[in-house]
Amino acid sequence: MRIASLLILVLFFACNSATPTKKGPPYPIQKQLVTDNAMVVTAHPLASEVGLEILKAGGNAVDAAIAVNFTLAVVYPRAGNIGGGGFMIVRDKDGKTEALDFREKAPKAAFRDMYLDNNGEVVEGLSRNGTLAVGVPGVVDGMVNAHKKFGKLPWHKLLEPAIKLAVGGFLITEQEADVFNEFQGAFKENNRHQPAIVNDADWQPNDQFIQKELARTLMLIKDKGVAGFYEGPTAKLIIEEMKASNGIITHDDLKSYESVWRTPVFFDYDEYRLVSMPPPSSGGITLAQMLAMVEPYDLKALGFQSSKSVHLMAEAERRAYADRAEHLGDADFYKVPQQKLVAEAYASQRMSNFSPQKAGKSEETVAGKFSESEETTHFSIVDKDGNAVSLTTTLNSNFGSKTVVKGAGFFLNNEMDDFSAKPGVPNQFGLVGNEANAVEPEKRMLSSMTPTIIEKNGELFMVVGTPGGSTIITSVFQVFLNVAEFGLPLKEAVHNKRFHHQWLPDKIFVEENTLSPEVVKELENLGHVVEKRDYIGRVEAILRLPNGKLEGVADDRGDDSASGY
Ligand code: GLY
């Protein structure tokens, strides 16, 4: 009955051609919600509704996460995906935690200097565009792995909502229409066929988006699980795509891909315990470092977004990102000094040269520029029993490599750009790296994704995460501190403007209207360079309130929406 009502909902959205209005979103978007039982917060209202209906149908938080993930591949193709990878933190109702790594891997034929020319210089765009930029996708294996360990509902039920939306289509929002239109040139340039997303007339809000090829691929995954993607017709189409250009992924790469359960990074901050992602993500370690560096200070007394608190937090960010560049990479390939980096003694040693009166100086080196594409997507789920999932997934850039697998209808990632193509040369996020994150066959590229679950005095407190490339970690850092230190209600903690420092370039980036002109002046007087940029992160957070209810907040920087009951 509940699944039936979901299908009716999906069909309503899919077929409601009687809503020709070009104004406003074609479905309700809920930015804040308080519920008694369960909550789903995602980047797309349809995905949040799918998650809710799975929970109402008796699924647990992991079932809902799987269904949401496949649905986002349909309704949020700029970042939701089956051709990319991601990370998931699970905390079950008894407090047991797990981390699932379904990050992409370098193909076996990859090698250290593959993005350099004969002079040893990075070939601009080679790690970002076309099929040479594609890492071996991990999402489908990850979802199957998660289902085997935690799933309650049958696998096929978790694929059905996404398939319905791909076959029947759905009405796109104004923001989606704008993004689809912005990338039409890139889609045409990077495809030898006309994928469903290519539209010679501009996309308009409330246009219906139908993806029949993607639906066929999802049906194969529904019927055959891992083999529906890494073998058979889908694998054949991926390899044809590789052969049609300069891609190097082989059938062997696809067949040997495996997602991995890892021990999360745990760290304490006052009465809170944070559970986050270990390498190959830098998220957990870098977040732990930044929090350990600011913990000895009375942030609340320094004031929310005052020059004093922003200076302190930016200096912690500078130091942690410098360590990230040097020390972090795939721990299966490189000895990451994890314990040392997250130790309190190390944090105080790193902050020993911190001066409240003066900005530090990042090394003089090639300064990176931010690209506009920081697309990844995060969702947070809590079910009625208190099981929680924090999941971040990505194609890397908006629509990844922009290449849709011909006949299979999904975008391939361009995650290889998250490797350090050459020491000291920034990637699209301006991040520099070193030996730890050099390209090697079958290695996972370093990520910033920071799916996080926070306990307070041993009980579930918050589920949080965000997209945003290099700004992911600093966004989670700020949202947590906004609640835990500055005492902001969750809505303000998430919706408030954010700032970001990542060591190089040596600047504090701020969203428009984050800091008052006086605070900017004070920071400049300390020696900081403050630069405006577009939005930082799109946080999806759930807070367990003292009365046991759940508060979900979806970021107001997009169509993000909360659903619950
Ligand atoms: N592709 C962005 C990240 O993994 O950090």
Side-chain angles (χ1 to χ4, degrees):
M1 178 63 198
R2 279 166 176 166
I3 288 286
S5 67
L6 167 67
L7 295 184
I8 289 167
L9 178 87
V10 164
L11 280 171
F12 172 77
F13 288 132
C15 308
N16 191 5
S17 50
T19 32
T21 169
K22 297 285 177 194
K23 286 192 211 111
Y27 17 73
I29 288 178
Q30 304 187 93
K31 291 294 173 196
Q32 185 188 24
L33 195 62
V34 176
T35 63
D36 291 327
N37 297 292
M39 185 72 73
V40 183
V41 191
T42 82
H44 200 287
L46 291 178
S48 297
E49 284 297 308
V50 164
L52 172 63
E53 293 302 329
I54 291 290
L55 293 177
K56 284 186 174 171
N60 61 24
V62 174
D63 289 320
I66 295 166
V68 164
N69 214 17
F70 285 118
T71 301
L72 285 169
V74 177
V75 300
Y76 195 69
R78 65 196 282 189
N81 68 83
I82 53 174
F87 301 112
M88 174 167 82
I89 299 287
V90 185
R91 182 185 186 276
D92 74 13
K93 58 185 186 333
D94 303 317
K96 192 164 175 297
T97 51
E98 304 261 9
L100 180 61
D101 167 0
F102 51 98
R103 181 71 160 166
E104 301 92 327
K105 293 176 84 166
K108 290 182 182 177
F111 59 98
R112 187 191 170 94
D113 294 341
M114 63 189 279
Y115 298 113
L116 306 188
D117 63 17
N118 290 340
N119 299 320
E121 299 303 331
V122 173
V123 181
E124 179 59 29
L126 201 56
S127 61
R128 288 200 274 281
N129 306 325
T131 50
L132 194 62
V134 183
V136 183
V139 162
V140 175
D141 191 76
M143 293 305 99
V144 171
N145 206 347
H147 186 252
K148 273 192 194 139
K149 188 155 189 161
F150 289 105
K152 232 170 109 187
L153 292 186
W155 175 250
H156 69 89
K157 286 230 176 305
L158 309 182
L159 270 296
E160 275 162 10
I163 293 169
K164 273 270 178 230
L165 283 161
V167 172
F170 63 98
L171 306 180
I172 63 172
T173 64
E174 184 168 6
Q175 200 182 74
E176 282 160 351
D178 288 348
V179 174
F180 287 11
N181 290 334
E182 186 187 333
F183 285 92
Q184 287 301 303
F187 298 146
K188 287 177 188 158
E189 205 174 302
N190 288 286
N191 286 285
R192 59 201 163 102
H193 60 117
Q194 178 140 347
I197 202 163
V198 169
N199 184 354
D200 287 328
D202 271 359
W203 287 101
Q204 302 294 329
N206 289 337
D207 276 353
Q208 202 169 18
F209 183 39
I210 294 172
Q211 299 167 85
K212 294 218 163 91
E213 290 184 348
L214 176 58
R216 278 203 298 275
T217 305
L218 291 170
M219 279 186 234
L220 284 169
I221 297 168
K222 172 176 78 101
D223 294 340
K224 297 185 189 305
V226 165
F229 185 85
Y230 296 92
E231 297 173 42
T234 311
K236 192 163 166 282
L237 291 167
I238 294 172
I239 301 307
E240 275 172 18
E241 204 58 59
M242 294 292 137
K243 289 190 174 149
S245 54
N246 56 352
I248 54 173
I249 293 176
T250 62
H251 279 291
D252 182 33
D253 284 319
L254 292 173
K255 225 174 153 191
S256 57
Y257 181 86
E258 278 180 357
S259 52
V260 187
W261 292 100
R262 301 194 187 273
T263 307
V265 173
F266 300 97
F267 51 101
D268 294 332
Y269 181 96
D270 295 342
E271 67 269 49
Y272 302 95
R273 163 154 283 215
L274 288 91
V275 185
S276 194
M277 200 62 213
S281 181
S282 61
I285 292 178
T286 307
L287 180 62
Q289 284 190 269
M290 295 188 302
L291 287 171
M293 288 184 212
V294 301
E295 194 178 14
Y297 298 85
D298 186 349
L299 271 168
K300 187 153 191 172
L302 295 182
F304 173 67
Q305 293 191 346
S306 67
S307 60
K308 288 186 172 134
S309 68
V310 173
H311 172 55
L312 171 67
M313 290 164 70
E315 289 300 329
E317 292 173 5
R318 177 203 305 282
R319 287 160 175 78
Y321 274 78
D323 281 348
R324 179 193 190 279
E326 184 61 27
H327 299 297
L328 298 191
D330 182 351
D332 291 345
F333 285 73
Y334 184 87
K335 202 165 165 19
V336 174
Q338 181 166 332
Q339 293 317 321
K340 181 176 176 219
L341 288 170
V342 302
E344 257 176 53
Y346 181 67
S348 52
Q349 182 196 321
R350 289 295 268 141
M351 287 298 271
S352 59
N353 60 353
F354 167 72
S355 161
Q357 276 82 41
K358 198 167 179 301
K361 277 220 169 305
S362 300
E363 265 174 47
E364 297 294 328
T365 187
V366 189
K369 278 203 260 157
F370 279 102
S371 128
E372 283 165 26
S373 291
E374 288 182 346
E375 279 316 318
T376 291
T377 188
H378 176 84
F379 55 87
S380 298
I381 300 179
V382 178
D383 69 22
K384 68 175 177 22
D385 296 319
N387 301 298
V389 168
S390 186
L391 192 152
T392 315
T393 181
T394 190
L395 289 164
N396 197 18
S397 304
N398 254 318
F399 306 100
S401 61
K402 324 293 185 272
T403 302
V404 175
V405 176
K406 186 176 174 195
F410 63 90
F411 282 99
L412 289 165
N413 67 80
N414 61 347
E415 217 71 61
M416 293 296 281
D417 190 59
D418 272 347
F419 278 118
S420 170
K422 184 181 173 180
V425 177
N427 72 359
Q428 68 165 332
F429 304 121
L431 289 167
V432 291
N434 230 317
E435 190 57 39
N437 191 32
V439 184
E440 288 182 60
E442 296 196 87
K443 188 174 177 181
R444 288 171 156 96
M445 53 298 282
L446 186 62
S447 172
S448 298
M449 291 188 278
T450 314
T452 299
I453 296 181
I454 302 165
E455 298 170 354
K456 186 174 180 182
N457 300 321
E459 300 291 329
L460 179 66
F461 178 68
M462 191 192 281
V463 185
V464 64
T466 180
S470 56
T471 68
I472 290 175
I473 319 171
T474 50
S475 295
V476 172
F477 177 56
Q478 284 166 78
V479 170
F480 169 65
L481 290 176
N482 286 351
V483 174
E485 286 286 5
F486 297 111
L488 298 188
L490 187 65
K491 189 170 172 205
E492 282 174 44
V494 170
H495 290 189
N496 253 308
K497 305 291 183 213
R498 291 185 271 269
F499 61 91
H500 170 76
H501 197 303
Q502 60 174 41
W503 179 50
L504 294 173
D506 192 351
K507 292 174 181 173
I508 300 177
F509 292 94
V510 291
E511 291 178 284
E512 187 86 35
N513 298 326
T514 306
L515 307 174
S516 68
E518 296 73 39
V519 168
V520 171
K521 193 89 215 119
E522 284 164 19
L523 287 166
E524 287 169 349
N525 289 342
L526 291 172
H528 288 288
V529 176
V530 180
E531 187 172 305
K532 278 192 201 131
R533 52 155 288 171
D534 56 1
Y535 72 83
I536 296 179
R538 276 172 68 166
V539 173
E540 320 297 355
I542 301 174
L543 192 65
R544 187 172 275 287
L545 300 171
N547 62 8
K549 289 182 192 267
L550 296 169
E551 179 177 16
V553 169
D555 209 312
D556 61 356
R557 291 162 176 82
D559 296 328
D560 316 51
S561 185
S563 294
Y565 75 102

